[in-house]
Amino acid sequence: MFDFPALDVAIGLVFVYIVLALVCSTINESISTAVGLRARYLQVGLLNLLSGSATATDAGKETVKDFYRHPLVQGLIKPGHGADQSFDPTSVTKWWRKPPYPSYVPSRTFITAVMDLARDAESKVAKVDKEKADAQVKAAHARMEKAEEGVERSLAAIPNAQLSEALLALFRASGKNVAQFQLATEQWFDDSMQRVSGWYKRKVHLILFVIATVVVVLLNADSLSAGRVLWRDDAVRAAVVKKAEAAANGKLDQVEVENAVKQLDLPLGWQLSFGDAPTELPNDALAWLAKLAGLALTIGAILLGAPFWFDLLSKIVRVRGTGAPPPATTAPVEASPKKR
């Protein structure tokens, strides 16, 4: 078994990073769930998709309202809000109020609801006098006159011109095959939702950065100070390594891991006095730079996430436990005596 202090210090720091990352991730997920962040980004994604432009259009907003009020989508909305026809799914709720929107919409539900809305639009447009209709309906009439009967005519009747043209393009690209068109539309929706997922992840990462900064500063989780303590104090280092190995081997759950760190004698917290101790306020400019660097290292480590550090901890513990290979012998092999 390797018994290098530097390796043990690395194990100890990784163990601390795991705990802090778990704490920050839990807080982050709680905040995202409380404010309905996924639902908000789904709303933005649908407005973008159904508007056919980078900014939400009036036609896109009306389509989103009709989409959210469809019975298939109503079943995904938070109970108590689904039957409220006055509910405006395009409005932005206060940041502290969780919107009653669904967080996910399956692609099959999307295409089924959109096709149903298209058929409804076809019947409505057909009843309107072309001469008395507004510009949107006149444009829909013009598209319907060029379209064939069936699915193409229903898609052409959608008043939302951008959405109608997009769906017609997908239908024609599919060879006017309904099954292929449904698959292409589902893929179009899934591609858009992947982009929305990217927006959501970037926002969550930004929130995690803020949370990590607050937690690290409040706890004074300085990587450099913790590393120095682990390097100098054999007892603390041994205790950290023991707990870290147990966590790497799956013998500690999340709660036990957090309790294990609380029991370790690491320099966490602040003393409101100036001095050279890890928990005291730095008393000169160089010490402040070192403190800020140590805090920044911890924040950066937390942003990598607990899974990353769990994986790294498992690898380091395996390396530590295997030990160095036995030295190769250079002694010549003695020949066996010949038989007489």
Side-chain angles (χ1 to χ4, degrees), residues 15-75:
F15 184 55
V16 174
Y17 294 157
I18 288 173
V19 177
L20 293 177
L22 286 173
V23 171
C24 293
S25 297
T26 301
I27 297 173
N28 193 16
E29 187 62 30
S30 299
I31 293 175
S32 299
T33 302
V35 301
L37 196 60
R38 290 183 183 274
R40 293 175 187 271
Y41 274 94
L42 176 62
Q43 172 199 5
V44 173
L46 285 173
L47 277 171
N48 177 265
L49 181 68
L50 298 179
S51 294
S53 64
T55 58
T57 62
D58 291 337
K61 290 179 181 180
E62 290 301 319
T63 306
V64 170
K65 291 179 183 179
D66 293 337
F67 177 80
Y68 271 105
R69 289 168 183 163
H70 191 277
L72 289 176
V73 183
Q74 288 280 307

Side-chain angles (χ1 to χ4, degrees), residues 71-86:
L72 289 176
V73 183
Q74 288 280 307
L76 304 175
I77 294 178
K78 181 180 178 180
H81 295 81
D84 184 6
Q85 295 300 314
S86 64

Side-chain angles (χ1 to χ4, degrees), residues 11-190:
I11 291 175
L13 289 176
V14 168
F15 184 55
V16 174
Y17 294 157
I18 288 173
V19 177
L20 293 177
L22 286 173
V23 171
C24 293
S25 297
T26 301
I27 297 173
N28 193 16
E29 187 62 30
S30 299
I31 293 175
S32 299
T33 302
V35 301
L37 196 60
R38 290 183 183 274
R40 293 175 187 271
Y41 274 94
L42 176 62
Q43 172 199 5
V44 173
L46 285 173
L47 277 171
N48 177 265
L49 181 68
L50 298 179
S51 294
S53 64
T55 58
T57 62
D58 291 337
K61 290 179 181 180
E62 290 301 319
T63 306
V64 170
K65 291 179 183 179
D66 293 337
F67 177 80
Y68 271 105
R69 289 168 183 163
H70 191 277
L72 289 176
V73 183
Q74 288 280 307
L76 304 175
I77 294 178
K78 181 180 178 180
H81 295 81
D84 184 6
Q85 295 300 314
S86 64
F87 165 61
D88 184 1
T90 65
S91 63
V92 179
T93 60
K94 301 296 184 181
W95 66 267
W96 62 84
R97 293 183 58 190
K98 183 178 181 180
Y101 319 136
S103 298
Y104 301 95
V105 173
S107 56
R108 297 186 302 276
T109 302
F110 173 80
I111 181 59
T112 303
V114 167
M115 288 304 301
D116 201 18
L117 294 176
R119 285 188 287 269
D120 289 343
E122 181 182 7
S123 62
K124 291 178 181 178
V125 170
K127 296 177 182 178
V128 178
D129 186 353
K130 184 178 179 181
E131 299 300 326
K132 299 179 181 179
D134 57 20
Q136 277 191 342
V137 175
K138 288 182 179 179
H141 268 293
R143 291 193 299 271
M144 291 172 65
E145 291 174 356
K146 299 177 183 178
E148 299 178 1
E149 293 292 335
V151 173
E152 186 176 8
R153 185 175 175 84
S154 297
L155 297 177
I158 298 176
N160 185 344
Q162 288 88 344
L163 177 62
S164 177
E165 293 293 347
L167 292 174
L168 285 171
L170 290 172
F171 183 70
R172 290 160 185 160
S174 303
K176 299 187 178 181
N177 182 286
V178 176
Q180 293 297 323
F181 165 69
Q182 290 180 341
L183 291 176
T185 306
E186 289 179 7
Q187 185 62 52
W188 176 54
F189 176 76
D190 289 337

